[in-house]
Amino acid sequence: MDQHQVDVHAPPDEYYSGSPALRTPGVHRSRSRNYQRTYPKYSQFGGEEEAVPGRLLPRRRSVRRRASIDEKATQPRRFLVDIDTVEKIILEQEDTNGDYQITVEDSGPKMLKVPTASSGGFRTFEVRGTYMLSNLLQEMALARDCGMNQVVIDEERLNENPVNRLSRMIRTTFWNGLVRCMDEGGIQAICADPKNTRAGARPIIYVPHGDAAAYEYYRGVARDLRDLRIKVVRLPREITPQYVKSINDEFGVLALAADVSHDAGGRLVYRPLPFVVPGGRFNEQYGWDSYFEALGLLVDGRWQLAKNMVDNFVYEIKHYGKILNANRSYYLTRSQPPFLTDMALKVYEALPPSDGNAAWLRAALDAAITEYFGVWMVAPRLDARTGLSCYHPTGIGMPPETESTHFDHTVQPYAERLGVSVDAFKRMYARDEIHEPELDEYF
């Protein structure tokens, strides 16, 4: 692909999609380079000693810091970057606090000579300043994710306006890093999440009682991924707080919505809907987080993901009775603020014209109305005296996802009153061997 046909600000998978040698004239003349830098060595008495190749000293560096004005280029400048080599040098030289980032907190010279692509790597040009160096480090990581070892990077990509770059990176890269899906590929990551499975236990996928297609699909996933030892459990028709407590020691993830059809041979075609999570450490769709995520997705034109998340909420209301804190089993008794109506309306306004849009919105609003009257306008979430609704989980006992010592200070007075240890009290309380109404209300 000709470099001039590549959008300088294209997404990484597009920008780094071709071989650098095919994209840049002159790269065929490139040769291996010695990236070692020479720094003067200073003795403890302050005198300059012999030059030591590659040695990086914390003080009295020979590399001058960046100037306030860079020379102007007569044509767009591109850099020829061997990722492993340049990354090693930039981290050793510039990342002085060892956090794998280049920031104002680092005390490096803030300058690195990088080979130019137009010279085939024979000449170098200084990349200067915290901003450009940090962008160079980020671009190398993105290129490596695309399977590249050597790349050509446009200078315009490194000195892009910071606001424009951040907005572009969110739109083209960061959203993608937050997408999850409960299909066969996504389940492998979800099952490995310690928040979803107790240590040493089999990962569990809970499926609604009334969703036969989901049960069939996840049974098939469990057969295909035998090494994961996945257990598929069909939930009871009525999900009570007592039932949720009974599975606290076997918590797992809950199925979400999917596009369901059958092929010409009558075989099930089941495609779980991708969704966005509030942070990289999460693998589940969260409640009100999803509303604000959807607003950002719509700004960036990612309406399909936002629509999927509405569909997942409609599925939760239909099968689990309400929009949950997130799709984990111990959240079955925990609701979230009712933002679905506004979320659905904003997605509807962003949808491309289609005959099915009105029916889709109607189904979403019907689900929101069902939740409003069935969850928010009845006890215990409706306060009869004021007529106001409030958040009120209906779970029994200590939340199982918390650290084992999280509530020790809370239960200690009750344990002392019975003359038992805190751990013994927690076991007795979990087995209903003792009853403490105050703790029940607290939890």
Side-chain angles (χ1 to χ4, degrees):
M1 183 184 296
D2 187 342
Q3 172 70 15
H4 298 289
Q5 296 178 354
V6 178
D7 179 4
V8 172
H9 300 133
D13 57 347
E14 178 182 334
Y15 183 78
Y16 295 117
S17 61
S19 166
L22 296 177
R23 287 174 43 189
T24 308
V27 175
H28 295 288
R29 305 192 306 271
S30 66
R31 56 178 171 81
S32 60
R33 293 185 49 84
N34 182 357
Y35 282 82
Q36 286 188 322
R37 302 179 59 80
T38 299
Y39 298 86
K41 177 182 178 184
Y42 295 92
S43 72
Q44 59 180 325
F45 304 106
E48 184 173 317
E49 299 181 359
E50 73 278 5
V52 180
R55 177 164 180 176
L56 307 179
L57 300 177
R59 296 176 297 165
R60 300 186 66 177
R61 299 177 185 269
S62 64
V63 182
R64 55 191 173 83
R65 294 181 69 87
R66 73 182 295 260
S68 58
I69 299 177
D70 292 331
E71 64 177 88
K72 301 297 183 182
T74 57
Q75 59 183 358
R77 186 178 289 110
R78 300 190 294 274
F79 299 105
L80 176 61
V81 178
D82 181 90
I83 295 176
D84 290 339
T85 304
V86 176
E87 183 181 71
K88 182 176 185 293
I89 293 174
I90 196 172
L91 289 174
E92 288 179 349
Q93 174 180 299
E94 301 291 347
D95 181 26
T96 57
N97 62 5
D99 64 355
Y100 294 93
Q101 303 177 71
I102 309 300
T103 70
V104 293
E105 302 297 326
D106 293 302
S107 57
K110 298 296 193 291
M111 186 279 288
L112 184 70
K113 289 185 177 180
V114 183
T116 59
S118 60
S119 70
F122 282 86
R123 297 187 180 90
T124 64
F125 186 82
E126 294 180 353
V127 175
R128 301 179 182 178
T130 300
Y131 179 64
M132 288 188 68
L133 287 170
S134 64
N135 287 346
L136 174 59
L137 186 63
Q138 185 179 57
E139 288 296 328
M140 289 190 293
L142 293 170
R144 179 180 282 118
D145 288 343
C146 294
M148 309 299 288
N149 296 316
Q150 187 183 64
V151 290
V152 172
I153 303 178
D154 289 85
E155 185 180 36
E156 291 180 56
R157 202 166 172 93
L158 303 182
N159 62 15
E160 183 182 3
N161 176 284
V163 175
N164 292 345
R165 180 178 174 88
L166 179 59
S167 178
R168 176 178 63 80
M169 292 296 291
I170 291 172
R171 183 176 64 256
T172 64
T173 302
F174 296 159
W175 280 128
N176 295 338
L178 296 174
V179 175
R180 304 289 186 272
C181 186
M182 288 193 59
D183 59 5
E184 185 166 325
I187 282 294
Q188 297 181 60
I190 292 173
C191 289
D193 188 341
K195 299 186 299 299
N196 289 324
T197 308
R198 286 197 183 278
R202 295 174 60 185
I204 302 176
I205 302 173
Y206 287 96
V207 178
H209 185 276
D211 192 347
Y215 188 71
E216 178 183 345
Y217 174 76
Y218 288 114
R219 288 284 295 257
V221 169
R223 286 193 298 270
D224 293 341
L225 303 176
R226 292 184 184 279
D227 291 346
L228 293 180
R229 301 171 52 245
I230 297 173
K231 181 179 179 181
V232 182
V233 176
R234 176 174 279 165
L235 291 166
R237 190 182 304 275
E238 183 180 0
I239 303 171
T240 64
Q242 290 76 18
Y243 172 78
V244 177
K245 181 184 178 182
S246 74
I247 60 173
N248 275 351
D249 288 332
E250 293 187 311
F251 56 77
V253 293
L254 304 171
L256 293 174
D259 284 330
V260 183
S261 61
H262 292 82
D263 62 18
R267 290 180 294 270
L268 175 68
V269 178
Y270 190 92
R271 299 187 179 93
L273 303 181
F275 55 90
V276 166
V277 297
R281 65 185 291 265
F282 297 105
N283 287 297
E284 311 81 33
Q285 180 171 328
Y286 278 76
W288 66 339
D289 305 69
S290 294
Y291 170 74
F292 297 104
E293 292 158 11
L295 298 183
L297 287 167
L298 295 176
V299 167
D300 286 336
R302 307 293 292 269
W303 59 266
Q304 185 62 64
L305 278 170
K307 180 174 180 288
N308 290 350
M309 294 162 78
V310 171
D311 291 338
N312 280 337
F313 282 160
V314 171
Y315 182 93
E316 288 186 356
I317 293 171
K318 176 181 178 181
H319 293 288
Y320 306 129
K322 54 187 167 293
I323 293 176
L324 305 176
N325 191 152
N327 61 306
R328 297 187 198 157
S329 58
Y330 44 73
Y331 289 147
L332 282 165
T333 57
R334 307 181 209 176
S335 59
Q336 287 280 276
F339 287 164
L340 179 57
T341 49
D342 193 58
M343 184 177 176
L345 284 168
K346 283 182 166 54
V347 171
Y348 172 77
E349 293 167 357
L351 293 178
S354 171
D355 292 340
N357 289 353
W360 176 85
L361 178 63
R362 186 179 301 110
L365 294 180
D366 283 346
I369 292 170
T370 298
E371 185 190 41
Y372 176 73
F373 285 109
V375 176
W376 297 105
M377 295 303 292
V378 295
R381 295 179 180 86
L382 177 66
D383 182 78
R385 183 174 62 85
T386 63
L388 299 176
S389 300
C390 64
Y391 174 74
H392 193 294
T394 58
I396 301 173
M398 287 179 280
E401 78 276 15
T402 55
E403 295 180 0
S404 60
T405 59
H406 186 81
F407 293 108
D408 283 6
H409 68 288
T410 302
V411 304
Q412 184 173 356
Y414 298 92
E416 291 175 350
R417 190 184 307 161
L418 289 180
V420 298
S421 67
V422 169
D423 288 340
F425 181 89
K426 289 190 294 186
R427 288 194 297 270
M428 295 165 66
Y429 182 70
R431 297 169 182 166
D432 290 329
E433 295 173 3
I434 54 176
H435 299 280
E436 292 288 352
E438 289 182 353
L439 280 182
D440 294 343
E441 182 64 24
Y442 176 82
F443 291 124

